[in-house]
């Protein structure tokens, strides 16, 4: 009998495996998630972000066994401190804010490798000492020249610190025989022009793939789950388009005020603080096409397409609303008006609330309004994406007890109570044919025994591993400013609409949706 011809392997495009699911491709590779030996240098290590997020995240990583044995934490700040003072600060921060339980044994491993270098950013001598200390540690602690520099400092300080790193040779991969990476915190500039300058500044000192811009929302588990939801399931993708979706609401509400950050916040406002980054990143992930593979480049290619396709409404007067909180009540306590907060000018026009209707000019999303809103001193802290589906084209229940049915809704809850809720019509038990809306809930906390890592835990680990998937690139930042700049220009000099603290924003934002025959969801 003639031999059967050998089976021809299926044709594969580069970057794709035969089964073609980009999420499975990534899992199958089972990448080791422990970084190589390295140092993490934190500038501004005594600041708020460092104490509340970075130092606790480092402890949590150590506790989970995700730091290499040869790991050094090096702090730099303007304090007359030694290693011991820094160790006390780091210990206190971890004890107060870490996610995982406290363990002296874990801490003793971390604190053996903690160093502090005091100095100001314009102090050449201090930077020379920092460089020597780092070189020393590389030689004695087996960290092979690998170091990440975390700029937990005001953006106005970036140029001087970057120049110091360049001057001392600390930033160079070649000179140090290992990798050198830099982590930049948002805000990434104040507008497109300053973002371009900042990007150039950073790119002059570090190579593009060694720059990690942190948008901590991308480190949140539920945000990453948007990709799993869409591309690991058969169920949702067919209805993820303008044929089925009526509108999308993205809400980031906070009950806190400006939390003593008047200096930063009053010069920034809600649109620059979170709309430009967190909310547009959520929108981009929600709306992207399937990436060719689960790699930083492929995901970024798809996100940038969405960001570039965003359109602003022609009628900004009606569809771009900003507000500022007035005094009011929250959780039974009287709270101050924004303008009465410490260090806020009494005539400040800065917005603590912003709502806007955006479009995405693609075949998939043409005609679907995306309503984005964010605000401080709203009734509660909640971030969610709510997808309102079109109503069923026909309801054969006219001779029954069924009243008007709502839209089917899928709500992706980013925080708190991370999970999904699906709202749909269901028959009420009994002999009558009565249909009412019900909700089906998936809660992360119940479905998985392990609690989700904090966003900073995940992102610091990714920096040390060198995985840039969850970090926005230059082009994304620039495309986002192209959306925000015209809004800011339109708002310039205008008084924001007032809303009472503890309420869901100004009435003008409700009118914006009512004009379209819709209403905000009450999360
Ligand atoms: C930051 C903003 O990026 O995000 C803050 O600058 C805001 O104004 C914070 O309060 C909210 O983060 P989270 O993770 O608490 O939702």
């Amino acid at each position: 009998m003639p031999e059967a011809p050998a089976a021809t392997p299926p044709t594969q495009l580069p970057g794709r495996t035969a089964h073609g699911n980009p999420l499975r491709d990534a899992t199958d590779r089972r990448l080791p998630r422990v970084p190589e030996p390295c140092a993490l240098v934190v500038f501004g290590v005594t600041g708020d972000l460092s104490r509340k997020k970075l130092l606790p995240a480092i402890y949590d990583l150590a506790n989970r066994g995700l730091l290499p044995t040869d790991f050094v934490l090096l702090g730099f700040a303007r304090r007359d401190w030694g290693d011991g003072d820094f160790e006390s600060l780091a210990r206190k921060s971890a004890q107060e804010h870490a996610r995982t339980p406290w363990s002296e044994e874990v801490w003793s491993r971390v604190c053996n490798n903690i160093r502090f270098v005091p100095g100001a950013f314009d102090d050449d001598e201090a930077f020379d000492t920092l460089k020597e200390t780092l070189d020393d540690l590389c030689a004695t602690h087996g960290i092979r020249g690998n170091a990440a520099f975390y700029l937990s400092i005001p953006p106005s300080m970036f140029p001087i610190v970057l120049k110091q790193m360049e001057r001392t040779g600390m930033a160079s991969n070649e000179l140090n025989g290992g990798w050198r990476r830099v982590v930049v915190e948002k805000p990434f500039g104040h507008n497109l022009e300053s973002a371009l300058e900042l990007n150039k500044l950073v790119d002059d000192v570090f190579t593009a793939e060694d720059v990690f811009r942190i948008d901590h929302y991308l480190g949140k588990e539920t945000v990453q789950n948007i990709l799993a939801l869409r591309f690991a399931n058969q169920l949702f993708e067919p209805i993820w388009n303008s044929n089925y979706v009526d509108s999308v609401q993205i809400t980031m509400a906070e009950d806190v005020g400006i939390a003593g950050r008047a200096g930063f916040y009053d010069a920034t406002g809600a649109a620059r603080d979170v709309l430009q980054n967190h909310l547009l990143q959520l929108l981009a992930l929600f709306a992207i096409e399937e990436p060719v593979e689960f790699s930083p480049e492929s995901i970024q290619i798809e996100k940038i397409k969405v960001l570039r396709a965003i359109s602003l409404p022609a009628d900004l007067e009606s569809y771009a609303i900003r507000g500022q909180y007035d005094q009011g009540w929250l959780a039974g306590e009287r709270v101050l008006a924004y303008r009465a907060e410490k260090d806020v000018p009494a005539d400040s026009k800065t917005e603590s609330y912003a709502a806007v209707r955006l479009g995405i000019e693609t075949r998939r999303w043409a005609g679907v309004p995306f309503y984005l809103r964010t605000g401080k001193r709203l009734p509660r802290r909640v971030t969610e994406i709510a997808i309102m589906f079109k109503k069923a084209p026909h309801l054969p229940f006219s001779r029954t007890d069924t009243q008007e049915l709502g839209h089917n809704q899928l709500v992706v809850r980013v925080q708190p109570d991370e999970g999904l809720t699906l709202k749909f019509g269901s028959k009420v038990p009994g002999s009558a044919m009565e249909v009412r809306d019900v909700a089906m809930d998936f809660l992360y906390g119940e479905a998985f025994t392990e609690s989700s890592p904090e966003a900073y835990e995940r992102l610091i680990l990714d920096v040390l591993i060198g995985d840039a998937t969850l970090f926005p690139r230059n082009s994304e930042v620039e495309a986002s400013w192209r959306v925000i700049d015209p809004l800011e220009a339109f708002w310039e000099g205008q008084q924001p609409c007032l809303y009472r603290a503890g309420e869901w924003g100004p009435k003008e934002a409700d009118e914006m949706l009512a004009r379209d025959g819709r209403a905000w969801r009450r999360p």
Side-chain angles (χ1 to χ4, degrees):
M1 253 178 74
E3 249 184 354
T8 330
T11 325
Q12 250 177 254
L13 292 173
R16 282 243 163 198
T17 54
H19 51 65
N21 179 332
L23 294 166
R24 265 183 55 196
D25 293 352
T27 342
D28 286 350
R29 272 187 239 129
R30 297 202 198 288
L31 296 171
R33 299 280 301 169
V34 178
E36 295 172 275
C38 61
L40 178 64
V41 183
V42 183
F43 293 104
V45 79
T46 55
D48 223 40
L49 176 74
S50 164
R51 283 184 292 112
K52 293 194 180 140
K53 299 287 182 189
L54 309 184
L55 297 170
I58 288 160
Y59 169 81
D60 285 325
L61 289 172
N63 204 357
R64 291 165 63 208
L66 294 177
L67 289 182
T69 329
D70 301 316
F71 173 77
V72 175
L73 175 63
L74 185 51
F76 184 96
R78 199 192 187 129
R79 296 266 168 120
D80 198 9
W81 273 7
D83 296 343
D85 302 295
F86 177 40
E87 193 269 321
S88 309
L89 170 93
R91 166 191 286 267
K92 188 159 175 279
S93 303
Q95 283 175 332
E96 280 174 11
H97 302 288
R99 180 179 64 87
T100 57
W102 178 253
S103 152
E104 279 298 334
E105 194 257 314
V106 170
W107 187 248
S108 65
R109 273 186 276 133
V110 179
C111 77
N112 276 338
N113 296 323
I114 283 188
R115 297 287 183 278
F116 185 78
V117 175
F121 298 139
D122 57 359
D123 180 349
D124 285 1
E125 218 177 289
F127 270 83
D128 292 340
T129 311
L130 179 65
K131 161 87 165 104
E132 277 162 30
T133 313
L134 192 55
D135 287 349
D136 235 36
L137 291 166
C138 286
T140 55
H141 281 64
I143 48 180
R144 304 181 208 152
N146 300 329
F149 300 93
Y150 202 119
L151 304 190
S152 178
I153 54 176
S156 56
M157 297 290 157
F158 287 178
I160 186 162
V161 171
L162 287 164
K163 285 277 169 284
Q164 292 280 24
M165 284 197 269
E166 193 179 27
R167 182 186 65 78
T168 53
M170 269 189 288
S172 160
N173 293 335
E174 292 76 39
L175 290 179
N176 295 290
W179 50 255
R180 295 284 153 134
R181 298 176 186 143
V182 69
V183 186
V184 187
E185 266 288 337
K186 65 166 262 295
F188 313 118
H190 196 68
N191 50 25
L192 177 60
E193 198 188 334
S194 53
L196 288 167
E197 273 169 29
L198 174 64
N199 285 341
K200 178 166 180 335
L201 197 76
V202 180
D203 288 349
D204 280 349
V205 181
F206 286 89
T207 42
E209 63 271 23
D210 293 329
V211 182
F212 290 73
R213 287 172 197 77
I214 289 221
D215 180 321
H216 77 280
Y217 264 59
L218 295 181
K220 293 187 190 263
E221 201 74 26
T222 353
V223 174
Q224 296 160 47
N225 194 35
I226 298 171
L227 296 179
L229 182 74
R230 288 192 52 195
F231 303 124
N233 294 298
Q234 176 71 336
L235 191 59
F236 301 109
E237 207 44 27
I239 54 170
W240 216 260
N241 55 54
S242 62
N243 295 334
Y244 295 93
V245 176
D246 166 79
S247 57
V248 178
Q249 297 185 11
I250 304 185
T251 299
M252 176 186 166
E254 294 182 279
D255 51 358
V256 291
I258 52 172
R261 295 194 303 156
F264 161 76
Y265 198 86
D266 200 61
T268 307
R272 289 189 170 104
D273 184 30
V274 299
L275 191 59
Q276 186 271 343
N277 36 80
H278 304 330
L279 267 73
L280 289 186
Q281 284 289 328
L282 286 183
L283 172 68
L285 280 179
F286 170 87
I288 57 171
E289 298 301 319
E290 187 182 272
V292 167
E293 58 176 346
F294 202 65
S295 71
E297 297 74 29
S298 304
I299 295 176
Q300 191 218 349
I301 286 170
E302 300 307 330
K303 277 204 291 177
I304 193 81
K305 283 194 216 156
V306 175
L307 291 168
R308 288 199 179 137
I310 291 177
S311 64
L312 285 167
D315 178 6
L316 287 175
E317 186 81 40
S318 306
Y319 291 105
I321 309 294
R322 43 180 227 145
Q324 191 187 69
Y325 59 83
D326 201 352
Q327 58 180 322
W329 291 86
L330 247 165
E333 277 190 23
R334 190 152 187 81
V335 295
L336 295 175
Y338 176 79
R339 289 180 187 182
E341 298 270 15
K342 188 169 174 294
D343 299 330
V344 171
D347 59 351
S348 169
K349 290 184 181 142
T350 301
E351 80 281 1
S352 57
Y353 176 98
V356 61
R357 188 184 79 180
L358 300 176
I360 300 179
E361 305 307 319
T362 59
R363 176 175 283 240
R364 184 189 282 267
W365 295 118
V368 176
F370 289 81
Y371 301 102
L372 274 55
R373 65 174 161 169
T374 180
K376 295 208 182 270
R377 289 288 190 225
L378 299 184
R380 64 193 201 91
R381 175 176 184 251
V382 55
T383 300
E384 63 168 40
I385 304 176
I387 305 128
M388 312 293 184
F389 290 96
K390 291 186 172 163
K391 289 192 174 175
H394 173 68
L395 292 175
F397 303 118
S398 54
R399 295 161 66 114
T400 69
D401 295 331
T402 298
Q403 305 292 316
E404 171 83 351
L405 286 167
H407 291 269
N408 290 157
Q409 287 178 25
L410 179 66
V411 181
V412 179
R413 256 186 331 278
V414 174
Q415 63 186 23
D417 307 326
E418 292 83 348
L420 293 176
T421 297
L422 182 62
K423 279 181 91 177
F424 55 98
S426 170
K427 184 182 170 303
V428 178
S431 55
M433 185 57 195
E434 189 188 347
V435 181
R436 248 194 247 154
D437 287 336
V438 293
M440 196 160 80
D441 261 331
F442 153 74
L443 272 170
Y444 255 86
E446 282 177 7
F448 300 100
T449 45
E450 206 186 320
S451 70
S452 304
E454 271 284 321
Y456 278 97
E457 222 175 304
R458 167 69 198 257
L459 295 174
I460 290 174
L461 181 64
D462 283 358
V463 170
L464 301 181
I465 286 172
D467 179 347
T469 312
L470 301 176
F471 298 81
R473 289 280 182 206
N474 276 356
S475 45
E476 292 173 60
V477 172
E478 291 164 15
S480 302
W481 280 119
R482 287 199 170 87
V483 177
I484 301 299
D485 276 3
L487 280 179
E488 293 290 353
F490 169 71
W491 282 330
E492 178 84 48
Q494 282 185 22
Q495 290 288 351
C497 314
L498 283 185
Y499 62 99
R500 198 184 293 275
E503 292 184 356
W504 281 103
K507 67 172 187 345
E508 287 78 356
D510 292 339
E511 288 163 9
M512 160 172 139
L513 262 77
R515 204 168 284 124
D516 290 355
R518 301 186 175 96
W520 290 109
R521 220 182 85 79
R522 285 284 173 261

